[in-house]
Amino acid sequence: MSNAKDTRLGPVKVEGGLVAGVPSDTEGITAFLGVPFAGNVGGDNRWRPAPPVKPWEGIHLADTPGPKMFQDHDPEGNEIANDDGLVLNIWTPSQGADENLPVYMLIHGGANRTGSAQYDDLQAAELASHGLIVVSVQYRLGPFGFMALPEMAEENPQGAVGNYAILDLVDALEWIRDNIDGFGGDPETVTIGGQSAGAENTVALLRSPLAEGLFDRAVISSSFTGFLPGKTMAVEAKMKNNQAAVDELFGRPMTLAELREIPDETWLAPFNGSDRSLYRLLSNATASNQFYTIDGHSFTEDSVDLLQPGDFGGLDIMIGQTADERTSLGGDPDGEMTPEEYRQAVLDLATARPYMVGWENEEVFDLYVPMTDLDAYRLHIRMQNDRMFQYVRLGAEFAKAHSEDADIWLWYWDHAPPGDNEGFRGAYHAADIYYFNASLREDDPNQRPWTDPDLAMRDLASGYLANFVKTGDPNGEGLPEWGQVTAETGGQFIRFHQGEAKMRTQTLYPSRDAYHRKMVLEGLGKAENDIFGQ
């Protein structure tokens, strides 16, 4: 920790006992790190709603992050991960318990298989200095957070099946409702948000009746699908699929009791001749492309459909994508594809992501014409990036047009952070979160060699986000005007690029925009006038 001045905010009473904070690296901001909001979810508690926090005596000094939630070993082996990881970090500028500051609950990414609230780009003390409280949370991951089996339904016939990560996030929201006033927060002014899996989980909370009334604003960064069809699955199909995957992996039928008895070291060790852990193998088999189970409790057939009039009534939304999402998600700067490989890879995208609609047809090859094998590989990635933005954009346009009292702002992040292979990676997946979360530190040798445009982007992005959390509108003094995504403005969005933010109605490739838009609309079974309700 830094030598920033100590805080006047004394110990705070929360569920479980008293916690004391410490000065953060930003003057005037107190950090409460690793505060538990639920109990241990290992052993017999696995695949059940989390138990309450175990009380402690005295004052707990919340000066270090808690363990990460159970997941594969950190490659550097320097972080603890276990089933005591249902913790949160709090940064507050409050000097007392009666300031009623707005609250931002930040959900980390990591493919819903890895990740934690300890990420460098989630260190939000400077964001809190804008006059809000930031709470970053952890939740169950991989098969522990998302796997659904028939015995789970038998154990809990009226409750959740497979959506344990969502239950954890609802628990965190309820913890904020019941405890945040002690940190100077207003439980009636709560924004949720996240990037990547954190964004997908933010949309999931929009879809869940369990979270209704616990927040009224959302920030959604790189959710891949936005408000259009995504990674949901009917409960019977999910249970059948997951049970078959479990039995195949073990080579015999497995009961829930047997799975609960598996020790931690077995979950994390290479399994059955593979170089991957049992945890990773089961994550891939039961959680990829099918995170959320429509179990009638956490999600219903009605609640997951966000294309109904009024679904966003009373909500304020900021949503966006980066321009180069796929470059950092397995992208290879030296990758090549032959013409045949390129063609097949493009046409196979629908199989790779069956939860989405409206995939490419032959027309696409007239818009993405490679000259070399290197071009082919990069255009294959470019195509996915372009399509993803139009997918999210259409959902935002529909939500705004069909919910009269919804306020929705759309962004397109086209600013490339400095770093390795900057020319290839561009505005890669997660390129925006250092800036929005104000986690960029000029004098930190462990971060990137930030430039003047990066500092300008931080001030713009974090300024918009702070205003949004405080008022439900990102606009404010000293910031370029950011208009909502409306029919009257042609579905406008703001483009962040090289230290500037400007309104646009199309990317640099309008013909590609139009093609992807047409294909997604066809996949939805809708026409252009259906989107804006005209």
Side-chain angles (χ1 to χ4, degrees), residues 357-368:
V357 300
W359 283 100
E360 282 71 20
N361 62 11
E362 296 289 338
E363 296 175 46
V364 76
F365 297 111
D366 293 331
L367 297 169
Y368 298 84

Side-chain angles (χ1 to χ4, degrees), residues 181-234:
D181 58 345
F183 299 87
D186 178 6
E188 300 297 322
T189 309
V190 176
T191 301
I192 61 172
Q195 184 271 340
S196 190
E200 292 182 278
N201 292 336
T202 298
V203 176
L205 290 171
L206 286 167
R207 288 183 158 120
S208 177
L210 300 180
E212 188 172 352
L214 295 174
F215 64 91
D216 49 14
R217 296 167 189 156
V219 180
I220 302 160
S221 173
S222 297
S223 63
F224 302 110
T225 57
F227 308 136
L228 298 190
K231 299 175 184 176
T232 59
M233 198 170 185

Side-chain angles (χ1 to χ4, degrees), residues 81-130:
N82 61 39
D83 292 306
D84 285 312
L86 292 182
V87 299
L88 41 79
N89 299 327
I90 304 165
W91 292 272
T92 177
S94 175
Q95 301 299 314
D98 57 354
E99 297 189 29
N100 286 324
L101 297 174
V103 181
Y104 181 36
M105 188 180 96
L106 188 53
I107 307 169
H108 71 78
N112 275 332
R113 177 177 49 80
T114 65
S116 77
Q118 301 174 29
Y119 281 164
D120 286 345
D121 48 21
L122 300 182
Q123 304 314 303
E126 190 169 325
L127 180 60
S129 72
H130 287 263

